[in-house]
Amino acid sequence: MRAIFIADAHLRHEGDENYRLLVEFLTELRGTVDTLFILGDLFEFWIGYETVPFTHYLPILKKLRELAESGTEIVYLEGNHDFHMGPFFTKTLGARVHPGPAVVTIEGKQVYLCHGDEVNSRDYSYRLLRIILHSSLVRAATRVVPPSVASRIAERMSRGSRKNHGRRQHRWDYPALLREFATRRFREGCDVVVSGHFHIPFLDEADGKVLLSLGDWLTHYTYGEWRDGTLTLKSYRQT
């Protein structure tokens, strides 16, 4: 059994290094992976229209389709930059899409998966924003709001998010928050917790419990690999 976990590539343009390296990585995975878990924010912005209007994402979508056709199951947990994934993921890729956290069983282990944006229960302003983004009203907007307009709105929101990122990191101890969150999940019976969102890669193992913070595919190029019952944190670098 081999599974791969990735999160937070925030893909924007085909010429960007992280975009190019992710295309390369996915190409290498073809025919070698049972399940690809994407834990949100693969894209800087994605909302699922009936067709695929975001043509700059076609190379990465092609690689995902090739993976699906080779027998890899794709499991997608929506993040705070990609939501309401739409028919390409659910129908074309046959992906299992989760709007929030999910618990899956891998080789007898209960694995709690989350993007991670709900870990900080005290960040009230963000939690309100998340409710709005994942609402049925925003989903319905794809029927009337042109993709170009949605993209402009998303770009403004992204600039604001990047501007506030440093302030949030200074205010909150993200590793501590994630470890507290994982401890509660372990008490509920989970064996493993895997999270994205924080862009901080680390792996904790104690008393048979494992917490994996995936880092990102933006500066760290880190990912998780499950192989024959063991979960590891790896870094992909161009050779």
Side-chain angles (χ1 to χ4, degrees):
M1 168 65 184
R2 186 186 183 209
I4 296 294
F5 304 80
I6 60 173
D8 296 284
H10 291 271
L11 299 176
R12 297 172 65 89
H13 306 295
E14 296 173 51
D16 293 342
E17 183 181 31
N18 71 321
Y19 197 126
R20 179 175 56 81
L21 290 180
L22 187 56
V23 167
E24 181 181 294
F25 179 63
L26 294 179
T27 300
E28 294 174 3
L29 294 182
R30 186 173 181 181
T32 70
V33 175
D34 297 287
T35 307
L36 173 65
F37 294 96
I38 303 173
L39 271 64
D41 289 3
L42 184 70
F43 309 100
E44 181 62 15
F45 172 67
W46 175 282
I47 185 169
Y49 285 83
E50 283 301 311
T51 59
V52 178
F54 310 118
T55 56
H56 52 297
Y57 291 141
L58 289 178
I60 208 75
L61 297 177
K62 179 176 182 250
K63 292 302 172 184
L64 290 173
R65 185 169 187 169
E66 289 174 356
L67 272 176
E69 289 172 347
S70 73
T72 297
E73 180 184 21
I74 296 174
V75 179
Y76 207 114
L77 276 75
E78 295 179 352
N80 53 303
H81 286 252
D82 41 18
F83 36 85
H84 305 305
M85 299 310 296
F88 181 84
F89 282 86
T90 58
K91 296 179 183 177
T92 303
L93 297 183
R96 280 193 286 154
V97 176
H98 299 276
V103 178
V104 300
T105 302
I106 305 178
E107 295 187 316
K109 301 284 188 178
Q110 292 294 104
V111 182
Y112 184 96
L113 304 172
C114 62
H115 175 60
D117 56 333
E118 294 181 284
V119 165
N120 187 0
S121 60
R122 297 187 291 277
D123 192 348
Y124 302 114
S125 60
Y126 171 73
R127 290 176 72 84
L128 175 60
L129 175 62
R130 190 184 192 283
I131 290 171
I132 294 170
L133 292 176
H134 287 262
S135 69
S136 57
L137 180 63
V138 171
R139 182 192 294 273
T142 60
R143 302 190 188 100
V144 294
V145 177
S148 59
V149 174
S151 294
R152 286 197 295 271
I153 294 171
E155 180 59 33
R156 292 186 63 181
M157 292 177 65
S158 292
R159 286 199 298 268
S161 177
R162 290 193 293 272
K163 188 181 298 184
N164 290 329
H165 182 67
R167 179 180 60 80
R168 281 191 162 93
Q169 277 195 316
H170 180 74
R171 181 181 181 187
W172 308 105
D173 183 345
Y174 287 145
L177 285 171
L178 186 51
R179 288 180 173 114
E180 291 171 7
F181 180 85
T183 297
R184 293 195 293 272
R185 305 292 81 77
F186 295 147
R187 288 173 183 161
E188 293 169 357
C190 293
D191 304 294
V192 179
V193 172
V194 184
S195 177
H197 186 60
F198 298 105
H199 298 231
I200 303 170
F202 65 86
L203 177 71
D204 289 350
E205 297 182 77
D207 301 322
K209 304 296 185 181
V210 180
L211 165 62
L212 174 59
S213 178
L214 287 171
D216 61 41
W217 198 277
L218 193 62
T219 56
H220 297 101
Y221 301 98
T222 44
Y223 64 98
E225 180 180 71
W226 182 292
R227 189 187 286 269
D228 300 327
T230 300
L231 182 61
T232 54
L233 176 65
K234 295 192 170 185
S235 179
Y236 182 82
R237 297 292 182 185
Q238 187 178 26
T239 57

